[in-house]
Amino acid sequence: MRPLYHPSLKEITVQGILYALSDPVRVCIYAELAQADSAMNCSAFLSNGNLKLPKSTLSQHFKILREAGLIRSERKGVELKNSTRCQELKKKFGPMVVGILQAYQNEPNESKH
Amino acid sequence: MRPLYHPSLKEITVQGILYALSDPVRVCIYAELAQADSAMNCSAFLSNGNLKLPKSTLSQHFKILREAGLIRSERKGVELKNSTRCQELKKKFGPMVVGILQAYQNEPNESKH
DNA sequence: CCACTAGTTCCATAATACTGAATAATGGAA
DNA sequence: TTCCATTATTCAGTATTATGGAACTAGTGG
């Protein structure tokens, strides 16, 4: 298995972030990670109420979030612990990412969780 | 030709906006419209330096921006005058859209224009 | 070593996007 | 009005990208 690639802050682009968050599943994952007080592993989303996706699809979504620079994934034994890189991103992109999260979380959308 | 559809503020969603801005061409168009002091028509982007796309493709991109609620297009004779709906969106989504624009425009990316 | 769990990779299928060509709509000139 | 130039949209074929089941890799514990 290949090592997990995390882009450096320099390599992260607005475009990459927007692309990663353009998918409903990925915003949902990201928003949940942002709200969580500790790192979550991928399989926490396997039967997570609204998200009913096979693990191969989830794995792909996590990869896209990771390679866009939105999340950090650390191996802990057999599982991956995922957390957001919000603080880092704030330094580079200002209020963009938090703005997206807030707008998403304020939205009166019932199919979110 | 069908009439141009513009969603009402209520119908505009974070997800729709993120999807619309997930494409490099569309962010480019949107950023340029946001910077322009007057409405621009579609064909202004036909041979606009970095954007070298057929008009059918551009037309599709404008449609997506419009139906996501990001821009407003008004027919003026044979052309369309496009402008952003930034002010409206600010009311509903707070700093999200402006945050995206600022981050995009601050980015030291040479292939933007 | 074997079984179990967590994620990843592969690949066939499904869904989207791109774009040249045809079409529609408008305005102006003859 | 009729014709023509201009602007933008629609259509259809092709190309690109996403999805998800099956096979696989890796770590952990018995």
Side-chain angles (χ1 to χ4, degrees):
Chain A
M1 238 174 238
R2 293 172 203 163
L4 299 171
Y5 174 68
H6 291 88
S8 71
L9 200 50
K10 271 190 184 174
E11 296 170 307
I12 300 175
T13 65
V14 172
Q15 195 51 67
I17 290 177
L18 293 180
Y19 170 72
L21 294 182
S22 71
D23 185 285
V25 172
R26 291 194 292 266
V27 203
C28 181
I29 292 173
Y30 187 67
E32 197 140 342
L33 286 177
Q35 283 183 122
D37 44 342
S38 65
M40 300 175 73
N41 53 10
C42 305
S43 62
F45 294 88
L46 255 182
S47 46
N48 179 22
N50 47 334
L51 291 183
K52 288 181 180 154
L53 297 169
K55 57 182 182 171
S56 62
T57 305
L58 274 180
S59 175
Q60 179 64 10
H61 284 312
F62 273 94
K63 183 184 178 190
I64 289 171
L65 286 170
R66 182 167 56 241
E67 299 193 346
L70 282 164
I71 68 174
R72 190 174 292 285
S73 309
E74 296 176 90
R75 283 203 196 286
K76 278 277 159 52
V78 73
E79 32 190 62
L80 282 193
K81 293 300 186 183
N82 298 285
S83 52
T84 68
R85 296 176 68 178
C86 256
Q87 294 310 310
E88 289 176 78
L89 295 180
K90 200 175 198 172
K91 288 193 188 105
K92 176 158 183 179
F93 299 111
M96 180 181 76
V97 178
V98 173
I100 292 173
L101 277 175
Q102 285 180 351
Y104 180 76
Q105 287 162 350
N106 284 341
E107 198 157 66
N109 181 353
E110 58 292 339
S111 74
K112 238 159 30 186
H113 52 109
Chain B
M1 239 177 240
R2 294 172 202 163
L4 300 172
Y5 174 68
H6 291 88
S8 71
L9 199 51
K10 271 190 184 173
E11 294 170 308
I12 301 175
T13 65
V14 172
Q15 195 51 67
I17 290 177
L18 293 179
Y19 170 73
L21 294 182
S22 71
D23 185 284
V25 173
R26 290 194 292 266
V27 203
C28 181
I29 292 173
Y30 186 66
E32 196 139 343
L33 286 177
Q35 281 183 125
D37 45 340
S38 63
M40 301 175 73
N41 53 11
C42 306
S43 63
F45 294 88
L46 255 182
S47 46
N48 179 24
N50 46 336
L51 290 183
K52 288 181 178 151
L53 295 169
K55 56 183 181 170
S56 59
T57 306
L58 275 180
S59 176
Q60 179 65 11
H61 285 310
F62 273 94
K63 183 183 178 190
I64 290 170
L65 287 170
R66 183 168 55 241
E67 300 192 346
L70 281 163
I71 67 174
R72 189 174 292 286
S73 309
E74 297 177 90
R75 284 204 195 286
K76 277 278 160 53
V78 73
E79 28 190 69
L80 280 193
K81 293 301 184 182
N82 299 286
S83 52
T84 68
R85 296 176 68 178
C86 256
Q87 294 309 312
E88 289 176 77
L89 295 179
K90 200 174 197 172
K91 289 194 188 104
K92 176 157 184 181
F93 298 111
M96 179 181 77
V97 177
V98 173
I100 292 174
L101 277 174
Q102 285 180 350
Y104 180 75
Q105 287 163 349
N106 284 341
E107 198 157 68
N109 181 352
E110 58 293 340
S111 74
K112 236 156 40 184
H113 53 107

